[in-house]
Amino acid sequence: MPDGSFAHPQQRQFNPYTDNGGTILAIAGADFTVIAGDTRQSEGYSIQTRYAPKVFRLTDRAVLAVNGFAADGNMFVKKVKQRLEWYRHAHAKDMPLRAIARLIQTMLYAQRFFPYYVYNILGGIEEDGSGAVYSFDPVGSYEREACRAAGAAQSLVQPFLDNQIYFKNQKAAPGTSHPTHLPLSDVLSIVIDSFTSATERHIEVGDGLEIYVVVARGRSPQGIEGIRGVQELSAQPNGDRTFILRRELKKD
Amino acid sequence: MDHFPTNWGRPRNDAFDAYGTYPIHQRAPVKDTFAEGVQHTQQPIVTGTSVLAIQYKDGIMMAADNLASYGSLARFKDVRRLHAVGTSTVIGASGDMSDFQAIQSILDDLVTDEFTHGDGHDLGPAEVHEYLSRVMYARRSKINPLWNSLLVGGFRDGKRFLGYVDLLGTTYSAPSIATGYGAYIAIPLLRAAVDGKQDQLTEENAKKILHECMRVLFYRDARSLDKYQIATVSAAGVTISDQIQIETAWGFAEGIRGYGAQTQ
Amino acid sequence: MSIMEYNGGSVIAMVGKDCVAIASDLRLGNQALGISSNFQKIFQMTDRIFLGLPGLATDVTTLKETFRYRVNMYTIKEERELEPETFAHMVSSALYERRFGPYFIEPVMCGLQKTHTGEYKPFIAATDLIGCLNFAKDFVVAGTASTKLYGVAEGLWEPDLEPEDLFETCAQTLLNAVDRDAYSGWGAEVYVLTKDKVIRRTLKGRMD
């Protein structure tokens, strides 16, 4: 110590975690789900890269967004994908969404005493054809919701979603009621607005935006194919369909 | 100059008592090394500073100086921090040099292993990067990290690869990457010169940009050296250059006022 | 324990077309324990200046009185009405006087500034607890729900809102932000200033 005492010997302890910033978000529609994340990866005040995906396609009807400590996130996605492949080999079909959600809980809780420092949001289509979002904490607590934001700008985005998706603090016009699910075009606008707002006010959010849209089998993709720069990822157009939509965000 | 003989040959802790000003009787008693059992927790000892790398028209280029520091002592001035792995990959290391040498052995063994299969397959930069990231992540998960920030670059099947992996297992790719002080000092210069222009950038210009960055780093990074090497990976394979000397001019320092020991 | 979060509370101010709005929650807490659902944080300084004082409740009371005194002294000595921009600098210097033992308040203020042509121009400003001024053109926020307020306001606010639309935007922003903040809420109030009237509305909010 500067005063010459050694009451507290100096020690550098290795810290196995870091925070790589970024934000993710998912919204469920009646027969579709939108899962999005920005593509910036940072450590402290340094931007490591402007393109590091945080959203991953797991199956034809499941997409996982991962946010927090990037190394844990990538490893976790890798292991989930491996488990899903094993399931495919054992059962000759893709694991259903609610089962993936439970799998993720068990995998996270298995690491209860050395957790994956990661917030997960799982989105996709349920077996009944409804859009679904599952959100998790780092040790596996989870619930099904209609919408969820996580990561660096969670506190900026979530109250905005409460207002625009759940119509919180809003009263429907006399004789009408709020819709339980929004059309795809409205959801996409809200997602893009959320990320532009978060980019404006949070230094760890920006660079690029990746939006995955999963549409239930036999349901209308509501004109998404006409949107600028949309790319379809699904193999056969008669099953569940997955689209990806990329947008630039401010880079400062 | 450290005036206390007991400090000689020991690494300095810059965070506390950077100039070894405390006399012997005030210093912490030497503890039995194994009193608390074998400890994993460590700190880097002999270290290398920044590594820079960029993509260019025909492949990738990487630069690192030849210094290995022992605390603030410029201990080894002829160290090679760029290392070829197989025929299409190069890795560059900053951080602990003994950990880097361990990594070199691991990778060389791996390349030999793959070769002995004789199946005509060998490892490219993407595979080396993936393998390294698994090793680094596995070691951090045992709380026994390899204390390095590594860059992996290469060119294979007509495609460039440039990736990063560190002691936490964190990975990423980008058109220009730098470790250590390079991340603060060189990256702004590299991003302006390289990002988005990778396909136009010639070998000559790429070399010039890296040279300029290495010069700036030598001026500002106290743990750097004016002698460095450049590795180039393209369709022609891996080339690691001879040592390059940075020319510097310090005449301007004379006119700097505001810090240091001037009297007016 | 952070002193800034000891009592909780949040304030926001927004610019509209020839009008401004300022809104706050009504909670007074003792950390997680709610004490009052009728604790005012917004005070009228002049006919067309309003001041919001989120932060440590004891300092809310002190500063409210301090500024009442200073505004009165200014009005008497100068024999003219205090302009919002001048008031902002008054707030700033009052706080900076206590640079090394600050009041734990982050003031937010709004008003209508008289221009040389005799018209009124919307004015908003905020400072940190030691008086660093922020003259924003759109909106300013402060308090325990500030991050949430930033997020929602950034999404809802647009330029040139008419008084009634500004009221709605401001109210919605505040309500949705404080509903995600454990230390703010328990009711809210909104003031909208136009050149010829001030509208005050109390909002019914979630009481949990």
Side-chain angles (χ1 to χ4, degrees):
Chain A
M1 297 289 107
D3 65 2
S5 71
F6 285 90
H8 303 288
Q10 270 250 342
Q11 208 173 46
R12 230 196 312 232
Q13 236 273 59
F14 173 65
N15 177 197
Y17 294 113
T18 190
D19 183 357
N20 296 106
T23 279
I24 51 171
L25 156 64
I27 299 170
D31 52 6
F32 67 88
T33 302
V34 176
I35 308 98
D38 69 328
T39 64
R40 175 176 291 183
Q41 190 179 104
S42 58
E43 188 169 6
Y45 291 133
S46 296
I47 297 170
Q48 294 183 314
T49 179
R50 301 194 189 281
Y51 185 70
K54 278 191 275 289
V55 191
F56 302 92
R57 192 166 172 240
L58 297 178
T59 67
D60 287 348
R61 43 167 48 188
V63 173
L64 182 61
V66 192
N67 194 228
F69 172 33
D72 270 354
N74 290 326
M75 184 54 68
F76 186 70
V77 169
K78 204 167 277 178
K79 296 206 166 188
V80 171
K81 280 183 171 173
Q82 187 178 48
R83 293 289 292 268
L84 293 178
E85 186 173 330
W86 290 345
Y87 183 96
R88 238 175 343 254
H89 291 321
H91 299 98
K93 62 163 189 153
D94 280 336
M95 191 185 281
L97 195 70
R98 52 187 236 105
I100 299 176
R102 180 60 66 87
L103 172 72
I104 288 173
Q105 157 162 83
T106 8
M107 290 178 68
L108 289 170
Y109 196 79
Q111 290 285 1
R112 171 63 179 77
F113 297 107
F114 186 21
Y116 287 111
Y117 192 38
V118 162
Y119 287 87
N120 283 287
I121 300 178
L122 175 71
I125 304 297
E126 213 65 271
E127 277 177 311
D128 65 3
S130 62
V133 166
Y134 291 91
S135 70
F136 301 79
D137 81 350
V139 285
S141 290
Y142 79 112
E143 62 175 330
R144 186 180 166 181
E145 292 174 296
C147 80
R148 171 60 65 187
Q154 180 189 44
S155 63
L156 284 76
V157 175
Q158 190 66 53
F160 179 65
L161 261 28
D162 291 344
N163 187 223
Q164 298 293 309
I165 303 293
Y166 292 122
F167 297 102
K168 287 277 169 69
N169 293 113
Q170 282 189 269
K171 221 164 117 184
T176 66
S177 63
H178 292 306
T180 44
H181 291 290
L182 293 172
L184 181 58
S185 60
D186 290 17
V187 170
L188 287 176
S189 303
I190 290 168
V191 169
I192 293 169
D193 281 1
S194 297
F195 276 94
T196 20
S197 295
T199 303
E200 199 64 40
R201 293 287 179 176
H202 201 110
I203 56 169
E204 291 172 2
V205 182
D207 290 332
L209 172 58
E210 279 188 337
I211 307 168
Y212 282 74
V213 182
V214 194
V215 182
R217 179 160 48 97
R219 298 309 183 94
S220 159
Q222 301 182 35
I224 191 183
E225 292 144 304
I227 298 177
R228 170 175 59 91
V230 166
Q231 197 191 328
E232 179 156 7
L233 302 173
S234 28
Q236 74 276 36
N238 51 342
D240 300 297
R241 300 174 73 180
T242 308
F243 300 87
I244 182 168
L245 175 56
R246 292 193 172 85
R247 285 287 178 272
E248 292 287 304
L249 291 173
K250 283 169 70 177
K251 296 183 195 311
D252 56 359
Chain B
M1 172 70 194
D2 188 346
H3 301 278
F4 298 98
T6 46
N7 279 349
W8 296 353
R10 290 175 196 282
R12 227 183 239 172
N13 182 352
D14 279 351
F16 158 72
D17 192 22
Y19 300 97
T21 52
Y22 286 96
I24 300 163
H25 66 270
Q26 284 189 4
R27 242 167 272 156
V30 178
K31 271 201 282 180
D32 174 7
T33 315
F34 296 104
E36 287 156 54
V38 180
Q39 303 210 327
H40 288 310
T41 311
Q42 44 164 317
Q43 50 175 336
I45 307 294
V46 177
T47 58
T49 185
S50 322
V51 184
L52 316 180
I54 55 173
Q55 298 183 348
Y56 76 101
K57 191 161 68 75
D58 310 314
I60 69 100
M61 228 177 251
M62 200 180 282
D65 68 23
N66 293 104
L67 177 66
S69 305
Y70 182 59
S72 56
L73 173 72
R75 181 67 180 83
F76 305 104
K77 308 205 327 177
D78 192 22
V79 162
R80 277 137 218 279
R81 300 198 287 124
L82 300 177
H83 176 72
V85 181
T87 53
S88 57
T89 309
V90 70
I91 63 168
S94 54
D96 193 279
M97 285 297 106
S98 60
D99 281 351
F100 177 49
Q101 287 175 3
I103 289 167
Q104 288 179 57
S105 323
I106 293 171
L107 289 178
D108 289 346
D109 289 354
L110 180 73
V111 170
T112 311
D113 254 25
E114 292 293 322
F115 176 79
T116 50
H117 280 104
D119 55 4
H121 294 297
D122 65 340
L123 300 175
E127 291 80 20
V128 171
H129 180 260
E130 178 71 30
Y131 181 85
L132 258 183
S133 69
R134 298 286 188 102
V135 172
M136 298 297 275
Y137 184 81
R139 289 289 295 262
R140 88 96 216 188
S141 299
K142 292 173 189 155
I143 318 291
N144 183 202
L146 292 163
W147 214 287
N148 300 100
S149 290
L150 302 159
L151 298 191
V152 182
F155 187 86
R156 202 179 142 101
D157 302 331
K159 281 174 85 174
R160 293 179 291 243
F161 181 91
L162 185 53
Y164 167 99
V165 56
D166 66 14
L167 73 167
L168 292 171
T170 309
T171 55
Y172 61 87
S173 290
S176 48
I177 310 183
T179 68
Y181 268 99
Y184 306 114
I185 295 172
I187 273 292
L189 304 168
L190 293 174
R191 290 222 177 119
V194 178
D195 290 30
K197 306 182 197 65
Q198 306 95 297
D199 296 325
Q200 284 80 262
L201 195 61
T202 63
E203 181 170 336
E204 188 191 5
N205 283 122
K207 209 165 267 182
K208 207 180 276 175
I209 292 158
L210 284 179
H211 186 74
E212 199 48 42
C213 289
M214 292 305 283
R215 196 211 312 278
V216 174
L217 279 170
F218 178 62
Y219 274 123
R220 280 294 169 175
D221 178 3
R223 304 283 176 268
S224 69
L225 196 65
D226 55 354
K227 233 165 49 177
Y228 74 98
Q229 286 172 292
I230 280 193
T232 313
V233 194
S234 62
V238 185
T239 344
I240 299 179
S241 75
D242 292 336
Q243 291 181 349
I244 300 167
Q245 179 73 35
I246 299 169
E247 300 302 328
T248 49
W250 294 94
F252 69 90
E254 206 61 2
I256 292 177
R257 294 289 112 135
Y259 50 84
Q262 304 98 25
T263 47
Q264 42 82 35
Chain C
M1 184 201 79
S2 165
I3 299 181
M4 297 302 290
E5 275 115 55
Y6 188 68
N7 301 117
S10 302
V11 178
I12 181 171
M14 282 180 168
V15 169
K17 187 173 170 53
D18 302 320
C19 57
V20 282
I22 184 167
S24 81
D25 68 329
L26 290 173
R27 183 179 183 268
L28 169 79
N30 185 180
Q31 303 202 76
L33 173 68
I35 300 294
S36 165
S37 58
N38 192 212
F39 185 77
Q40 282 206 16
K41 297 169 190 71
I42 297 175
F43 306 99
Q44 184 162 22
M45 291 287 114
T46 72
D47 283 351
R48 47 195 173 82
I49 302 176
F50 279 74
L51 172 67
L53 298 169
L56 192 69
T58 185
D59 290 343
V60 173
T61 320
T62 308
L63 282 182
K64 174 190 71 176
E65 292 302 332
T66 303
F67 289 125
R68 188 168 75 92
Y69 166 74
R70 292 205 184 198
V71 169
N72 284 342
M73 290 306 285
Y74 180 99
T75 323
I76 295 163
K77 282 186 179 168
E78 298 279 328
E79 294 185 316
R80 62 193 168 105
E81 207 185 342
L82 176 65
E83 288 301 317
E85 198 175 323
T86 318
F87 178 69
H89 285 98
M90 178 189 279
V91 170
S92 171
S93 51
L95 291 182
Y96 197 76
E97 273 179 20
R98 291 278 175 270
R99 171 61 179 80
F100 296 110
Y103 293 111
F104 297 101
I105 295 282
E106 292 182 330
V108 164
M109 58 218 100
C110 74
L112 293 167
Q113 178 100 17
K114 202 172 212 162
T115 61
H116 55 275
T117 55
E119 306 201 313
Y120 290 106
K121 199 171 131 268
F123 172 89
I124 55 161
T127 86
D128 65 6
L129 74 168
I130 52 170
C132 174
L133 276 165
N134 166 22
F135 301 112
K137 287 181 194 60
D138 42 12
F139 53 83
V140 283
V141 305
T144 52
S146 62
T147 55
K148 289 110 180 165
L149 287 164
Y150 272 127
V152 188
E154 197 65 60
L156 295 186
W157 186 87
E158 48 188 280
D160 296 324
L161 289 164
E162 297 295 333
E164 275 310 302
D165 296 335
L166 183 68
F167 162 77
E168 201 58 42
T169 309
C170 204
Q172 286 293 317
T173 304
L174 184 83
L175 251 16
N176 288 287
V178 300
D179 283 354
R180 280 282 176 183
D181 182 29
Y183 297 114
S184 300
W186 265 23
E189 59 173 351
V190 185
Y191 295 83
V192 181
L193 282 70
T194 59
K195 70 177 196 314
D196 43 30
K197 65 170 182 272
V198 175
I199 308 157
R200 175 180 178 280
R201 289 195 181 102
T202 313
L203 303 178
K204 215 162 104 180
R206 286 177 70 110
M207 300 305 277
D208 57 357

